[in-house]
Amino acid sequence: MTYRTDHATDLDSTRIGDTVSVAGWVSRRRDHGGVAFIDVRDASGIVQVVADPASIPVVEDLRMEYCVSITGAVRERPEGTVNEELATGEIEIHADEVVVLSPSKTLPFMLDDRTEIEERTRLRYRYLDLRRPRMAENLRARSRVTATIRRTLDGMGFLEVETPTLIRSTPEGARDMLVPSRLRQGDFYALPQSPQLFKQLLMIGGVERYFQIARCYRDEDFRSDRQLEFTQLDLEGSFWTQAEVLDTVETVLKTAATEIRGGEMTEPFLRVTWQEAMDRFGSDKPDIRFGMEIVVLDDVFADTEFGVFSGALTSGGTVRGINAGPRELSRAQADVLVERAKELGAKGLVWMQVTDDGSLRSSVAKFLSYDEKTGLVSRLEAEPGHVLLIAADRWQTVSAVLGGLRLDLGRPQGHDDLAFLWVTDFPMFEVEDDGSRTFSHHPFTSPALIEDMVADPDTALSQAYDAVLNGVELGSGSIRIHDPAVQRQVFEVLGIDAETAERRFGWFLDALDYGTPPHGGFAFGIDRLAMVLQGEESIRDVIPFPKTQTGVDPMTEAPAEVDDTQLTELGIRLRPEVIAARAEDTETGEVSRGDV
RNA sequence: GGGGGCGUAGAACAGUCUGGAGUGUUCGCCGGCCUGUCAAGCCGGAGGUCGCGGGUUCAAAUCCCGUCGUCCCCGCCA
């Protein structure tokens, strides 16, 4: 037999009279007794089948999601029964034969897109969830994105190269996922956080243009845009300047966006420096789909009597504000904003609302002079009804607080618009809470000017850059250090002595000594790109089998314990406190997972 | 590590504030009727550890404590 001759959406009025077979799933069955309608769904879409239960009794047995093959004649729908909503709505298949290939149990949830099913249940039955139109479309879109990327880079002469996923742990950056070695008990591989050093070695190896669609692993806490494992487009080139890297990545992103969204993207991506991004938007990954930019108010309050502002200014801080536009602001709503500001690191938050007569309603208005109030209103272009939010602190804190509130109050729902952005000129280093200095990108990033870095590391800029889309950090890259002497200087500034550097990265530093070409590159998250292009709010909706926030796959119940013999082979024994904690969980009968 | 939301039938919810019999809605499921539907319709029916444990009370889905799960956020994410 033949399961099918055509996909559902291959059929239209030009096929009227043809005898065809379609195969797929019963999306709906509408049984009128004397006649039954069956919506058959396959990967292409839906086509309606009409069957006479008297001549084909099996249609009485059909239930949702039965897997079927149906043969019959394509015919025009009778007058008045055309379904405009359906691509195949002008025709239907008059069934001659209905074969149940595979029945289905009653579904754990409905597969249409009309109700939001709890995500855990969807993940428990992900194979069913993937049949839902939205998820099926996300899978297809993602495939088109990667196909487009491959086509584009191949056309530019890039070589696709795979790098190992069992590598040596380099305990910088994120926490490594570890894999124990059986052949060398006590030693561990790490899964790559990125192919960073391997792609640089490919440059040294003479591969002048490299890319890879690479799975990466970072053992950090989950967010709506973060998973333990994710996929990056990783690319690198030799004899490349920053401008050339950005142009190439921009082309790739544009073709991918065009592939999914259509239209044509002619405008170059906006470029801002890191400092400008922080000052204007309070974020190194600004969402520029809306304004509400941060405004400096230092001069307005230069002589203020208001202690919170004057205190910040005299201690080298700053006073800045945003105009959150016209909105309601009850006392309770204001309290929520203040709490949120504190969560973002502020000691407090000054809120005001411009009243109809132009005066300011605020708990602190009485502390401000007339000039200060008028200056504030004019600087923030405030009009009656507008809500103004002002923070005073170190500029980093003020930026974080106002940047966070700006997103809370102004960020558009969904991803209908696409606002790409380059953020360049990242600082070379960051100061940690304990006062130590760390790299802000990675330790192989080239400083903008080596002289600046030596003179004042904490203000020195690097040749690192990020790509941002709708406030989502898609990825980052940099021009790398190709001069071993510069690499040594960077380690020195980072407080990594030669011996430590040799122990951790010796294998890589050796390679730098053999005629390393100047090189640089970039990597961006395919999952995040697909998420935004598909208008999704969660990375999990573009990953076929993602994990929950606690790192669990509700379907397979990974991670799970392994046989003791497996541990023995690896020379591993669980620590006593771990065994004790697990025993306690078992005793109290608590179910840690899988309780669906 | 911390803050917050949620957890009631197979699914999505209401009920919880203000304690009084597992009360209800929609979808699904089972049975019946039905020849033009497309979320078909009509009639009937089944289905519940109110996440779990403890406490308060004559009485707990409801109040209190703990805990598990899940989602969002802060920290973390070179």
Side-chain angles (χ1 to χ4, degrees), chain A residues 65-117:
Chain A
E65 297 306 311
Y66 272 36
C67 188
V68 293
S69 173
I70 294 177
T71 302
V74 178
R75 66 182 195 190
E76 190 174 15
R77 290 199 187 189
E79 182 90 29
T81 63
V82 168
N83 184 350
E84 307 279 352
E85 309 275 302
L86 213 56
T88 57
E90 291 185 0
I91 54 100
E92 60 194 9
I93 299 173
H94 185 72
D96 292 322
E97 186 184 14
V98 174
V99 178
V100 174
L101 302 174
S102 190
S104 170
K105 294 210 295 189
T106 299
L107 298 170
F109 52 87
M110 295 295 286
L111 300 191
D112 57 53
D113 282 337
R114 282 194 305 276
T115 48
E116 289 284 323
I117 309 299

Short mmCIF file of all heavy atoms in Angstrom, two decimals, chain A residues 65-117:
data_model
loop_
_atom_site.label_atom_id
_atom_site.label_comp_id
_atom_site.label_asym_id
_atom_site.label_seq_id
_atom_site.Cartn_x
_atom_site.Cartn_y
_atom_site.Cartn_z
N GLU A 65 -6.22 12.53 17.25
CA GLU A 65 -4.80 12.15 17.17
C GLU A 65 -4.59 10.69 16.79
O GLU A 65 -3.47 10.19 16.91
CB GLU A 65 -4.04 12.53 18.44
CG GLU A 65 -4.01 14.04 18.69
CD GLU A 65 -3.48 14.84 17.49
OE1 GLU A 65 -2.41 14.47 16.96
OE2 GLU A 65 -4.12 15.83 17.10
N TYR A 66 -5.64 10.02 16.32
CA TYR A 66 -5.39 8.73 15.68
C TYR A 66 -4.54 9.01 14.44
O TYR A 66 -4.75 10.01 13.75
CB TYR A 66 -6.71 8.09 15.24
CG TYR A 66 -7.38 7.23 16.30
CD1 TYR A 66 -7.33 7.58 17.64
CD2 TYR A 66 -8.05 6.06 15.95
CE1 TYR A 66 -7.94 6.79 18.61
CE2 TYR A 66 -8.67 5.26 16.90
CZ TYR A 66 -8.62 5.63 18.23
OH TYR A 66 -9.22 4.86 19.17
N CYS A 67 -3.59 8.13 14.21
CA CYS A 67 -2.75 8.28 13.02
C CYS A 67 -3.41 7.48 11.90
O CYS A 67 -3.68 6.28 12.07
CB CYS A 67 -1.34 7.75 13.32
SG CYS A 67 -0.17 8.07 12.02
N VAL A 68 -3.70 8.15 10.78
CA VAL A 68 -4.51 7.52 9.74
C VAL A 68 -3.93 7.75 8.35
O VAL A 68 -3.14 8.69 8.14
CB VAL A 68 -5.95 8.08 9.76
CG1 VAL A 68 -6.67 7.68 11.04
CG2 VAL A 68 -5.96 9.59 9.57
N SER A 69 -4.35 6.87 7.45
CA SER A 69 -4.11 7.10 6.03
C SER A 69 -5.47 7.01 5.35
O SER A 69 -6.22 6.07 5.60
CB SER A 69 -3.16 6.04 5.47
OG SER A 69 -3.07 6.17 4.07
N ILE A 70 -5.79 8.01 4.55
CA ILE A 70 -7.12 8.08 3.94
C ILE A 70 -6.99 8.27 2.44
O ILE A 70 -6.21 9.11 1.97
CB ILE A 70 -7.94 9.23 4.56
CG1 ILE A 70 -8.22 8.91 6.05
CG2 ILE A 70 -9.24 9.45 3.79
CD1 ILE A 70 -8.95 9.98 6.79
N THR A 71 -7.73 7.46 1.70
CA THR A 71 -7.72 7.54 0.25
C THR A 71 -9.10 7.94 -0.25
O THR A 71 -10.11 7.46 0.27
CB THR A 71 -7.33 6.18 -0.36
OG1 THR A 71 -6.04 5.82 0.15
CG2 THR A 71 -7.26 6.27 -1.89
N GLY A 72 -9.12 8.82 -1.23
CA GLY A 72 -10.41 9.23 -1.76
C GLY A 72 -10.23 10.25 -2.87
O GLY A 72 -9.11 10.61 -3.23
N ALA A 73 -11.34 10.72 -3.39
CA ALA A 73 -11.30 11.66 -4.49
C ALA A 73 -11.37 13.10 -3.98
O ALA A 73 -12.17 13.41 -3.09
CB ALA A 73 -12.46 11.40 -5.44
N VAL A 74 -10.54 13.95 -4.57
CA VAL A 74 -10.62 15.37 -4.26
C VAL A 74 -11.85 15.94 -4.95
O VAL A 74 -12.08 15.67 -6.13
CB VAL A 74 -9.37 16.11 -4.76
CG1 VAL A 74 -9.48 17.61 -4.48
CG2 VAL A 74 -8.10 15.55 -4.13
N ARG A 75 -12.65 16.68 -4.18
CA ARG A 75 -13.79 17.29 -4.86
C ARG A 75 -14.04 18.69 -4.31
O ARG A 75 -13.61 19.04 -3.21
CB ARG A 75 -15.03 16.42 -4.73
CG ARG A 75 -15.55 16.31 -3.31
CD ARG A 75 -16.76 15.38 -3.28
NE ARG A 75 -17.46 15.55 -2.00
CZ ARG A 75 -18.42 14.76 -1.59
NH1 ARG A 75 -18.80 13.73 -2.33
NH2 ARG A 75 -19.02 14.98 -0.43
N GLU A 76 -14.73 19.46 -5.11
CA GLU A 76 -15.06 20.81 -4.72
C GLU A 76 -16.07 20.78 -3.59
O GLU A 76 -16.97 19.94 -3.57
CB GLU A 76 -15.67 21.54 -5.94
CG GLU A 76 -15.83 23.02 -5.75
CD GLU A 76 -16.28 23.67 -7.05
OE1 GLU A 76 -16.73 22.94 -7.95
OE2 GLU A 76 -16.18 24.90 -7.15
N ARG A 77 -15.91 21.70 -2.64
CA ARG A 77 -16.90 21.74 -1.58
C ARG A 77 -18.21 22.31 -2.13
O ARG A 77 -18.19 23.20 -2.98
CB ARG A 77 -16.43 22.62 -0.43
CG ARG A 77 -15.29 22.02 0.36
CD ARG A 77 -15.19 22.68 1.70
NE ARG A 77 -14.02 22.25 2.43
CZ ARG A 77 -13.82 22.55 3.70
NH1 ARG A 77 -14.69 23.31 4.36
NH2 ARG A 77 -12.74 22.13 4.33
N PRO A 78 -19.34 21.83 -1.60
CA PRO A 78 -20.63 22.36 -2.04
C PRO A 78 -20.73 23.85 -1.76
O PRO A 78 -20.07 24.38 -0.86
CB PRO A 78 -21.65 21.58 -1.19
CG PRO A 78 -20.91 20.37 -0.71
CD PRO A 78 -19.48 20.75 -0.62
N GLU A 79 -21.58 24.48 -2.55
CA GLU A 79 -21.86 25.91 -2.40
C GLU A 79 -22.11 26.26 -0.92
O GLU A 79 -22.86 25.60 -0.23
CB GLU A 79 -23.11 26.25 -3.24
CG GLU A 79 -23.52 27.69 -3.23
CD GLU A 79 -22.83 28.46 -4.35
OE1 GLU A 79 -22.53 27.81 -5.38
OE2 GLU A 79 -22.59 29.66 -4.19
N GLY A 80 -21.43 27.30 -0.44
CA GLY A 80 -21.71 27.77 0.92
C GLY A 80 -20.96 27.05 2.02
O GLY A 80 -21.10 27.38 3.19
N THR A 81 -20.16 26.04 1.67
CA THR A 81 -19.44 25.32 2.73
C THR A 81 -17.93 25.50 2.62
O THR A 81 -17.16 24.79 3.26
CB THR A 81 -19.76 23.81 2.69
OG1 THR A 81 -19.28 23.28 1.45
CG2 THR A 81 -21.24 23.56 2.83
N VAL A 82 -17.51 26.45 1.80
CA VAL A 82 -16.08 26.74 1.69
C VAL A 82 -15.60 27.36 3.00
O VAL A 82 -16.29 28.18 3.60
CB VAL A 82 -15.82 27.71 0.52
CG1 VAL A 82 -14.40 28.26 0.57
CG2 VAL A 82 -16.06 27.00 -0.81
N ASN A 83 -14.44 26.91 3.47
CA ASN A 83 -13.87 27.45 4.70
C ASN A 83 -12.70 28.38 4.36
O ASN A 83 -11.62 27.93 4.00
CB ASN A 83 -13.40 26.31 5.60
CG ASN A 83 -12.88 26.84 6.94
OD1 ASN A 83 -12.70 28.04 7.11
ND2 ASN A 83 -12.65 25.93 7.87
N GLU A 84 -12.96 29.68 4.52
CA GLU A 84 -11.94 30.69 4.16
C GLU A 84 -10.71 30.61 5.07
O GLU A 84 -9.63 31.04 4.70
CB GLU A 84 -12.55 32.10 4.28
CG GLU A 84 -13.84 32.31 3.50
CD GLU A 84 -13.59 32.57 2.02
OE1 GLU A 84 -12.41 32.74 1.65
OE2 GLU A 84 -14.57 32.59 1.25
N GLU A 85 -10.92 30.06 6.27
CA GLU A 85 -9.83 30.02 7.26
C GLU A 85 -8.76 29.00 6.89
O GLU A 85 -7.64 29.07 7.38
CB GLU A 85 -10.38 29.64 8.63
CG GLU A 85 -11.58 30.45 9.09
CD GLU A 85 -11.17 31.75 9.75
OE1 GLU A 85 -10.43 31.67 10.75
OE2 GLU A 85 -11.56 32.82 9.27
N LEU A 86 -9.14 28.08 6.03
CA LEU A 86 -8.28 26.94 5.76
C LEU A 86 -7.64 27.08 4.38
O LEU A 86 -8.32 27.41 3.41
CB LEU A 86 -9.14 25.66 5.81
CG LEU A 86 -8.53 24.37 6.32
CD1 LEU A 86 -7.96 24.57 7.73
CD2 LEU A 86 -9.61 23.28 6.34
N ALA A 87 -6.33 26.80 4.29
CA ALA A 87 -5.65 26.89 3.00
C ALA A 87 -6.30 25.95 1.99
O ALA A 87 -6.36 26.25 0.80
CB ALA A 87 -4.17 26.55 3.18
N THR A 88 -6.78 24.81 2.48
CA THR A 88 -7.41 23.83 1.60
C THR A 88 -8.93 23.92 1.65
O THR A 88 -9.64 22.97 1.33
CB THR A 88 -7.00 22.40 2.01
OG1 THR A 88 -7.36 22.22 3.39
CG2 THR A 88 -5.51 22.19 1.86
N GLY A 89 -9.43 25.11 2.05
CA GLY A 89 -10.85 25.25 2.36
C GLY A 89 -11.80 25.17 1.18
O GLY A 89 -13.01 25.10 1.39
N GLU A 90 -11.27 25.18 -0.04
CA GLU A 90 -12.17 25.11 -1.19
C GLU A 90 -12.50 23.68 -1.59
O GLU A 90 -13.42 23.44 -2.37
CB GLU A 90 -11.55 25.83 -2.40
CG GLU A 90 -11.47 27.33 -2.22
CD GLU A 90 -10.98 28.03 -3.48
OE1 GLU A 90 -10.69 27.32 -4.48
OE2 GLU A 90 -10.87 29.25 -3.45
N ILE A 91 -11.68 22.74 -1.07
CA ILE A 91 -11.87 21.35 -1.48
C ILE A 91 -12.00 20.44 -0.26
O ILE A 91 -11.83 20.86 0.87
CB ILE A 91 -10.71 20.86 -2.37
CG1 ILE A 91 -9.36 21.08 -1.68
CG2 ILE A 91 -10.71 21.59 -3.70
CD1 ILE A 91 -8.76 19.87 -1.03
N GLU A 92 -12.34 19.18 -0.55
CA GLU A 92 -12.36 18.17 0.50
C GLU A 92 -12.10 16.83 -0.17
O GLU A 92 -12.18 16.72 -1.40
CB GLU A 92 -13.70 18.17 1.23
CG GLU A 92 -14.89 17.88 0.33
CD GLU A 92 -16.23 18.22 0.98
OE1 GLU A 92 -16.22 18.84 2.05
OE2 GLU A 92 -17.26 17.87 0.40
N ILE A 93 -11.74 15.85 0.66
CA ILE A 93 -11.50 14.51 0.11
C ILE A 93 -12.69 13.64 0.48
O ILE A 93 -13.06 13.54 1.64
CB ILE A 93 -10.21 13.88 0.69
CG1 ILE A 93 -9.00 14.75 0.31
CG2 ILE A 93 -10.04 12.46 0.17
CD1 ILE A 93 -7.72 14.30 0.97
N HIS A 94 -13.29 13.05 -0.53
CA HIS A 94 -14.39 12.12 -0.27
C HIS A 94 -13.79 10.74 -0.06
O HIS A 94 -13.25 10.12 -0.98
CB HIS A 94 -15.38 12.11 -1.45
CG HIS A 94 -16.58 11.27 -1.18
ND1 HIS A 94 -17.56 11.65 -0.29
CD2 HIS A 94 -16.96 10.06 -1.65
CE1 HIS A 94 -18.50 10.71 -0.24
NE2 HIS A 94 -18.15 9.73 -1.06
N ALA A 95 -13.87 10.25 1.17
CA ALA A 95 -13.12 9.05 1.54
C ALA A 95 -13.69 7.79 0.91
O ALA A 95 -14.90 7.54 0.96
CB ALA A 95 -13.09 8.91 3.05
N ASP A 96 -12.77 7.00 0.32
CA ASP A 96 -13.13 5.66 -0.13
C ASP A 96 -12.61 4.63 0.87
O ASP A 96 -13.19 3.57 1.04
CB ASP A 96 -12.51 5.36 -1.51
CG ASP A 96 -13.14 6.22 -2.59
OD1 ASP A 96 -14.36 6.45 -2.52
OD2 ASP A 96 -12.40 6.70 -3.47
N GLU A 97 -11.45 4.96 1.46
CA GLU A 97 -10.83 4.02 2.38
C GLU A 97 -10.17 4.79 3.53
O GLU A 97 -9.49 5.78 3.29
CB GLU A 97 -9.78 3.18 1.65
CG GLU A 97 -9.20 2.07 2.51
CD GLU A 97 -8.08 1.30 1.81
OE1 GLU A 97 -7.59 1.79 0.77
OE2 GLU A 97 -7.69 0.24 2.31
N VAL A 98 -10.42 4.34 4.75
CA VAL A 98 -9.80 4.93 5.93
C VAL A 98 -9.06 3.83 6.67
O VAL A 98 -9.66 2.83 7.06
CB VAL A 98 -10.86 5.57 6.85
CG1 VAL A 98 -10.21 6.05 8.15
CG2 VAL A 98 -11.58 6.72 6.14
N VAL A 99 -7.75 4.00 6.81
CA VAL A 99 -6.94 3.00 7.51
C VAL A 99 -6.38 3.63 8.78
O VAL A 99 -5.74 4.68 8.73
CB VAL A 99 -5.77 2.51 6.62
CG1 VAL A 99 -4.91 1.51 7.39
CG2 VAL A 99 -6.30 1.91 5.33
N VAL A 100 -6.68 2.99 9.90
CA VAL A 100 -6.06 3.45 11.16
C VAL A 100 -4.66 2.86 11.23
O VAL A 100 -4.50 1.65 11.36
CB VAL A 100 -6.90 3.02 12.38
CG1 VAL A 100 -6.16 3.39 13.67
CG2 VAL A 100 -8.27 3.69 12.33
N LEU A 101 -3.66 3.70 11.12
CA LEU A 101 -2.28 3.24 11.20
C LEU A 101 -1.89 3.02 12.65
O LEU A 101 -1.05 2.17 12.96
CB LEU A 101 -1.33 4.26 10.57
CG LEU A 101 -1.61 4.60 9.10
CD1 LEU A 101 -0.71 5.73 8.64
CD2 LEU A 101 -1.41 3.36 8.23
N SER A 102 -2.52 3.83 13.53
CA SER A 102 -2.12 3.78 14.93
C SER A 102 -3.12 4.57 15.75
O SER A 102 -3.32 5.75 15.50
CB SER A 102 -0.72 4.41 15.05
OG SER A 102 -0.17 4.21 16.30
N PRO A 103 -3.80 3.92 16.70
CA PRO A 103 -4.76 4.66 17.52
C PRO A 103 -4.04 5.48 18.59
O PRO A 103 -2.85 5.32 18.80
CB PRO A 103 -5.60 3.56 18.16
CG PRO A 103 -4.69 2.38 18.23
CD PRO A 103 -3.73 2.50 17.06
N SER A 104 -4.78 6.36 19.24
CA SER A 104 -4.18 7.19 20.29
C SER A 104 -5.03 7.08 21.55
O SER A 104 -6.26 7.04 21.47
CB SER A 104 -4.13 8.66 19.86
OG SER A 104 -3.78 9.49 20.95
N LYS A 105 -4.35 7.02 22.68
CA LYS A 105 -5.08 7.12 23.94
C LYS A 105 -5.72 8.51 24.03
O LYS A 105 -5.36 9.42 23.28
CB LYS A 105 -4.11 6.95 25.12
CG LYS A 105 -3.51 5.55 25.20
CD LYS A 105 -3.19 5.16 26.64
CE LYS A 105 -2.10 6.02 27.25
NZ LYS A 105 -1.64 5.49 28.55
N THR A 106 -6.63 8.67 24.97
CA THR A 106 -7.18 9.99 25.24
C THR A 106 -6.04 10.93 25.59
O THR A 106 -5.16 10.60 26.37
CB THR A 106 -8.18 9.93 26.41
OG1 THR A 106 -9.23 9.05 26.03
CG2 THR A 106 -8.73 11.31 26.71
N LEU A 107 -6.07 12.12 25.01
CA LEU A 107 -4.94 13.04 25.16
C LEU A 107 -4.86 13.63 26.57
O LEU A 107 -5.90 13.89 27.18
CB LEU A 107 -5.08 14.18 24.15
CG LEU A 107 -5.06 13.76 22.68
CD1 LEU A 107 -5.45 14.93 21.81
CD2 LEU A 107 -3.70 13.22 22.30
N PRO A 108 -3.66 13.87 27.06
CA PRO A 108 -3.52 14.53 28.37
C PRO A 108 -3.88 16.01 28.30
O PRO A 108 -4.16 16.61 29.34
CB PRO A 108 -2.05 14.32 28.72
CG PRO A 108 -1.37 14.09 27.43
CD PRO A 108 -2.37 13.44 26.51
N PHE A 109 -3.85 16.58 27.14
CA PHE A 109 -4.30 17.97 26.99
C PHE A 109 -4.64 18.20 25.53
O PHE A 109 -4.21 17.45 24.65
CB PHE A 109 -3.24 18.98 27.46
CG PHE A 109 -1.87 18.79 26.86
CD1 PHE A 109 -1.55 19.38 25.64
CD2 PHE A 109 -0.90 18.04 27.52
CE1 PHE A 109 -0.30 19.21 25.08
CE2 PHE A 109 0.36 17.87 26.96
CZ PHE A 109 0.67 18.45 25.75
N MET A 110 -5.42 19.24 25.28
CA MET A 110 -5.83 19.55 23.92
C MET A 110 -4.66 20.13 23.14
O MET A 110 -3.87 20.91 23.67
CB MET A 110 -7.00 20.54 23.93
CG MET A 110 -8.25 19.96 24.56
SD MET A 110 -8.89 18.59 23.60
CE MET A 110 -9.58 19.49 22.21
N LEU A 111 -4.58 19.76 21.86
CA LEU A 111 -3.40 20.16 21.09
C LEU A 111 -3.60 21.46 20.31
O LEU A 111 -2.72 21.86 19.57
CB LEU A 111 -3.02 19.04 20.11
CG LEU A 111 -2.67 17.70 20.76
CD1 LEU A 111 -2.06 16.77 19.72
CD2 LEU A 111 -1.72 17.88 21.93
N ASP A 112 -4.74 22.11 20.48
CA ASP A 112 -4.87 23.39 19.77
C ASP A 112 -4.15 24.48 20.56
O ASP A 112 -3.68 24.26 21.67
CB ASP A 112 -6.35 23.74 19.55
CG ASP A 112 -7.11 23.80 20.85
OD1 ASP A 112 -6.67 24.51 21.75
OD2 ASP A 112 -8.15 23.11 20.95
N ASP A 113 -4.05 25.64 19.98
CA ASP A 113 -3.29 26.72 20.60
C ASP A 113 -4.16 27.63 21.46
O ASP A 113 -3.72 28.69 21.88
CB ASP A 113 -2.60 27.58 19.51
CG ASP A 113 -1.35 26.89 18.97
OD1 ASP A 113 -0.79 26.05 19.69
OD2 ASP A 113 -0.95 27.21 17.85
N ARG A 114 -5.39 27.19 21.72
CA ARG A 114 -6.31 28.13 22.37
C ARG A 114 -6.12 28.25 23.88
O ARG A 114 -6.40 29.28 24.45
CB ARG A 114 -7.76 27.75 22.08
CG ARG A 114 -8.20 28.17 20.68
CD ARG A 114 -9.70 28.09 20.58
NE ARG A 114 -10.17 26.77 20.94
CZ ARG A 114 -10.21 25.74 20.09
NH1 ARG A 114 -9.83 25.91 18.85
NH2 ARG A 114 -10.63 24.56 20.48
N THR A 115 -5.68 27.18 24.54
CA THR A 115 -5.47 27.28 25.98
C THR A 115 -3.98 27.13 26.30
O THR A 115 -3.25 26.41 25.64
CB THR A 115 -6.25 26.19 26.75
OG1 THR A 115 -6.02 24.94 26.12
CG2 THR A 115 -7.72 26.51 26.79
N GLU A 116 -3.58 27.84 27.34
CA GLU A 116 -2.22 27.74 27.84
C GLU A 116 -2.15 26.55 28.79
O GLU A 116 -2.80 26.55 29.82
CB GLU A 116 -1.85 29.02 28.61
CG GLU A 116 -1.66 30.24 27.73
CD GLU A 116 -0.32 30.21 27.00
OE1 GLU A 116 0.66 29.73 27.60
OE2 GLU A 116 -0.29 30.64 25.85
N ILE A 117 -1.41 25.54 28.41
CA ILE A 117 -1.26 24.37 29.27
C ILE A 117 -0.05 24.60 30.17
O ILE A 117 0.94 25.20 29.74
CB ILE A 117 -1.04 23.10 28.43
CG1 ILE A 117 -2.12 22.99 27.35
CG2 ILE A 117 -1.03 21.87 29.32
CD1 ILE A 117 -3.53 22.90 27.86
#
